[in-house]
Amino acid sequence: MATPPKVNQSTFDQSTINQSKSDRSQINSSKAGQFIVLEGTEGVGKTTNLKFIEDIIRDQNLDLIVTREPGGTPLAEELREMLLAPRNEKVVENAELLLMFAARAQHFDSKIIPALNSGKWVLCDRFTDATYAYQGGGRGVDKSKIELLENLVQGRVRPDHIIILDVDVEIGLKRAGQRGDLDRFEQENRSFFENVREAYLERATKEPHRYHLINAAQPLKQVQAELLETIKSIIG
Ligand code: T5A
C-alpha cells in the first residue's frame, strides 16, 4: 500500500484514520495486489489504452478487476450520470465535490477495498487525482477540502501507481470533440483544461515514485510501447 501524503492534522483526526475500516494495513503484503489508476485530461486516450493495460496484466495470470470513476457500482454509476449530464442549473462547487466523493465512497468500500483485500489487482479509470485536477485545478476548490474528503473516504489508502497520459490540451480537445455530444465537463473552456493539466503535472512531479507520466501526443504505437515498459516495471 502506498504511503499517503502528509495531511493537515488540524482538519482530520489521526484516530479516525487509524480506525477506518478501509485501512489495508492488515493485508499480507506477499498476497497484496496493486492499485493502479489511469488518469489524464480529455482526449488523452484513456479508454483506448485501458484495455491494452488490462491485457498486459491478465497475460501475467494476475487476478484483476477493471473499474472506473465516477462509477463502478450501480449507485455510483447513477451519480456519474448526474455529474456528467449537461444542465441549465449551475452545479455549485461543493455539490460537485461531494457528489464525486459520494460516488467514490460507495465504489471504494464496496468494490475496491474488497478486491484489494482478497489479493486482487485493481485497474481504475480515474480516481482521486482527477478530483485534485478537475475540482482543484479546474474549478479552484481549495486543496484542504479535497484532502479532508479523501481521508474521510479512503482512510490511509492511496493508489500504488498513477499513470498519467499527458497531451497538449488543444490536441486532446480535438480528439474528444470527434466523439460527438459533449458531457458537462467536456463543455468547459480551454483554460479550465489547462488548469486541470497543470494540476496533474504538479502532482506527478511531487511523487515521481508513484506517478508515471506518458507523452500521449505520440502515435498510439509509441504510447503503448511506453505503457508496456511501465506496467512491466510495476509487475516487477
Ligand atoms: N471527473 C472525474 C472529475 O471532474 N472529478 C473526478 O474526481 C473524476 C473521477 C469523467 C469525467 O468526470 C470528470 C473528468 C471527466 O470529464 P471520463 O469518461 O473518465 O469522464 O473522461 P473522458 O476524458 O471523457 O475519458 P475517455 O476515456 O472517454 O476518453 P479519452 O481519454 O479521451 O480516450 P479515448 O480513448 O476515447 O480517445 C479519444 C480519441 O483519441 C484517439 C482515440 O482513437 C479516440 O478517437 N486517440 C489517439 N489518436 C492519435 N494518437 C493517439 N496516441 C491516440 N490515443 C487515442
Side-chain angles (χ1 to χ4, degrees):
M1 178 177 72
T3 312
K6 275 206 152 106
V7 296
N8 180 351
Q9 294 303 318
S10 66
T11 56
F12 199 85
D13 180 62
Q14 186 65 42
S15 62
T16 314
I17 296 175
N18 293 340
Q19 284 162 14
S20 168
K21 63 180 175 176
S22 305
D23 192 335
R24 288 171 61 206
S25 59
Q26 304 304 315
I27 291 176
N28 173 357
S29 62
S30 64
K31 201 186 157 212
Q34 301 276 295
F35 180 11
I36 303 173
V37 175
L38 188 60
E39 293 276 2
T41 52
E42 309 299 307
V44 290
K46 281 188 302 94
T47 301
T48 309
N49 289 304
L50 199 75
K51 181 79 179 84
F52 178 76
I53 297 173
E54 177 183 355
D55 289 345
I56 301 169
I57 298 173
R58 289 203 197 280
D59 279 352
Q60 299 303 309
N61 292 321
L62 295 166
D63 205 354
L64 171 78
I65 65 154
V66 181
T67 187
R68 70 170 181 183
E69 289 215 350
T73 80
L75 171 60
E77 288 290 332
E78 279 184 39
L79 291 169
R80 176 190 176 93
E81 276 180 35
M82 289 168 65
L83 277 158
L84 298 195
R87 55 185 76 241
N88 294 329
E89 179 185 11
K90 179 180 161 35
V91 180
V92 299
E93 280 174 13
N94 280 344
E96 184 175 284
L97 181 68
L98 290 167
L99 283 170
M100 283 294 173
F101 271 105
R104 182 159 302 136
Q106 184 67 21
H107 183 217
F108 186 76
D109 277 5
S110 67
K111 191 164 176 182
I112 294 181
I113 285 298
L116 292 170
N117 278 339
S118 64
K120 289 185 179 146
W121 287 57
V122 175
L123 175 60
C124 191
D125 185 347
R126 297 195 188 280
F127 193 62
T128 305
D129 277 278
T131 312
Y132 282 103
Y134 281 78
Q135 282 64 54
R139 303 272 190 238
V141 170
D142 201 289
K143 202 174 152 195
S144 64
K145 270 194 207 174
I146 303 175
E147 283 173 347
L148 180 69
L149 293 168
E150 179 181 37
N151 288 315
L152 174 72
V153 168
Q154 298 166 226
R156 295 157 63 95
V157 179
R158 302 292 180 272
D160 296 293
H161 296 277
I162 302 106
I163 300 170
I164 299 179
L165 297 174
D166 177 58
V167 84
D168 180 86
V169 167
E170 201 169 328
I171 299 174
L173 289 178
K174 207 184 241 174
R175 286 185 193 165
Q178 288 162 358
R179 286 185 305 213
D181 289 348
L182 301 179
D183 68 34
R184 195 168 59 83
F185 289 97
E186 289 165 344
Q187 291 177 355
E188 289 296 334
N189 60 29
R190 187 178 161 155
S191 77
F192 174 89
F193 292 111
E194 294 287 2
N195 291 335
V196 171
R197 183 185 184 203
E198 208 173 295
Y200 273 129
L201 294 177
E202 194 189 320
R203 289 180 71 73
T205 39
K206 280 196 181 145
E207 282 188 87
H209 61 288
R210 272 199 320 135
Y211 287 81
H212 309 266
L213 195 60
I214 308 261
N215 175 6
Q218 305 176 94
L220 189 56
K221 211 171 168 189
Q222 188 57 36
V223 171
Q224 295 191 334
E226 288 192 23
L227 280 172
L228 178 61
E229 285 312 305
T230 303
I231 299 300
K232 274 180 11 192
S233 76
I234 290 172
I235 292 173

